[in-house]
Amino acid sequence: MNIVVLRALGLGDLLTAVPALRALRRAYPAATITLAAPAWLADVVDRIDAVDRLEPTEGLVPIRWRGPAPGIAVNLHGSGPRSTDLLSRLRPRRLITHRLWIEDQHEVDRWCRLLAEHGIPADPQDLRLGETEHRGHVVVHPGASHGCRRWPAERYAAVVRTLDEDVVVTGDTSEKDIVEAVAGSVPTRVGGDLAGLLDLIADARLLICGDTGVAHVATAYGTPSVVLFGPVSPAHWGPRSTPHRALWHGHTGDTFADRPDPGLLMISVAEVLSAVAQVTGGERW
């Protein structure tokens, strides 16, 4: 049997869907599971043991499907109707999608509950992609998809100066200026393949970042993290277990705004350094 799953979103979105994908694998161990997701996520998809093949799908566009109609189509993308319609066009024998959309819940729970409602039990704790010894650098990732989630560069720079050594500042090619402003004299990693970034965070002894995809990489590999939240509550997108610390001042706002969220700006350098000390068991910071 063929199963197609739509999750044509970003890195964090994919990683929060891992428990749901694994639930499908357990329920249908002999099925071929195809994930419709952006091609640039291929390095992550390769690490998810529940997915057999990636069908490159950049957002809510028609899914290229060859052969007989899938036995099951699963909407892990959104509430519909567009995402549901795209899957319906494939004429699956069974379509799994939300009957009732609940806003106030964690993103991991959202998709696990969807499958449970359709008779497929899922474990929301089943997020790990692997285990490492976490003996590498401290990774500081100042970028985010929107300005409202970007803590000021000068504050990240102050944290980096305090941590001093064994720090690497990361970002994609569009974030080169902010990475260099934050890093000062410490090493940087700008751009590069996604697999390299995953390995860097997996091996790190600590990640400091905003509410963005790399935070979920830390969760996936058990890398200790300090995650700074602004317009979105960590109750919806935050790390689910230790050794992580989510900083949030209770402010919600526009998740697509260009300026740093007022709640994010309430987080001080001292607060971040205190959280770092808590997460790392009182290391020298």
Side-chain angles (χ1 to χ4, degrees), residues 36-89:
W40 67 271
L41 290 172
D43 288 334
V44 186
V45 175
D46 287 344
R47 302 181 187 212
I48 301 174
D49 48 11
V51 177
D52 297 301
R53 61 181 295 270
L54 171 66
E55 179 57 54
T57 307
E58 306 295 331
L60 288 176
V61 297
I63 302 167
R64 290 175 294 184
W65 186 261
R66 294 164 291 278
I72 303 174
V74 184
N75 185 358
L76 296 186
H77 187 95
S79 60
R82 290 178 61 196
S83 51
T84 302
D85 178 63
L86 289 171
L87 289 169
S88 295
R89 294 181 194 179

Side-chain angles (χ1 to χ4, degrees), residues 6 13 60 65 77 127 131 136 141 153 175 178 189 204 255 273:
L6 177 63
D13 303 284
L60 288 176
W65 186 261
H77 187 95
L127 290 158
E131 301 287 343
H141 188 93
E175 297 164 338
I178 187 174
R189 184 186 190 276
T255 60
L273 292 173

